[in-house]
Amino acid sequence: AHCVNRLGYHFLLQDVDIVWFRHPLDFFRDAAILAHESAMDPDRTHLQQFDLYFQDDGSRNGLQHGFSANTGFYFARNTLRTQYYFWNVIQNSDLIALVQIDQPPMNFLINEQTSLRGLRVKVLAHDTKLGRQLPTGRIYHQNRSYMKKMMKGQYRPTVFHINWTG
């Protein structure tokens, strides 16, 4: 992530437990375009102003303080703030190795970098119009209504991430 961002590219990172229904880069591109056109839709307003966009993890345990960003699906814009953030992730790789998972340390660094460096992060919450486009395993396990509507074609998410198993 650090090298790709440092080379000047926006990028999408995803785990292997994700199903695409539509191309996710189109989702982020369309969301930015619509932010200019539709100030009436608060979910889409100013979306292009963020550096990082994360799927909501859904977990609110002690490891997920602050943003609760899911590090298994996110889009990063190439900005100086994201370059510095990913450099910090590399610098803290020993912590990731210690806890054997990247999400808590990356969320800690998000909290730190939003405060210290002005990193602009958007976590797309499950209960918003945009967040419903990126459902996770939490929705699968806890929201039967959403799943029934999805199976009937009433909801057509962009991607579905079966990450959450509790």
Side-chain angles (χ1 to χ4, degrees), residues 53-73:
Y53 307 88
F54 286 89
Q55 192 176 42
D56 188 345
D57 182 61
S59 177
R60 299 298 183 261
N61 63 32
L63 297 175
Q64 302 297 339
H65 294 291
F67 284 93
S68 192
N70 184 317
T71 58
F73 182 84

Side-chain angles (χ1 to χ4, degrees), residues 66-82:
F67 284 93
S68 192
N70 184 317
T71 58
F73 182 84
Y74 61 90
F75 178 73
R77 292 177 55 231
N78 176 41
T79 66
L80 290 176
R81 289 177 296 273
T82 56

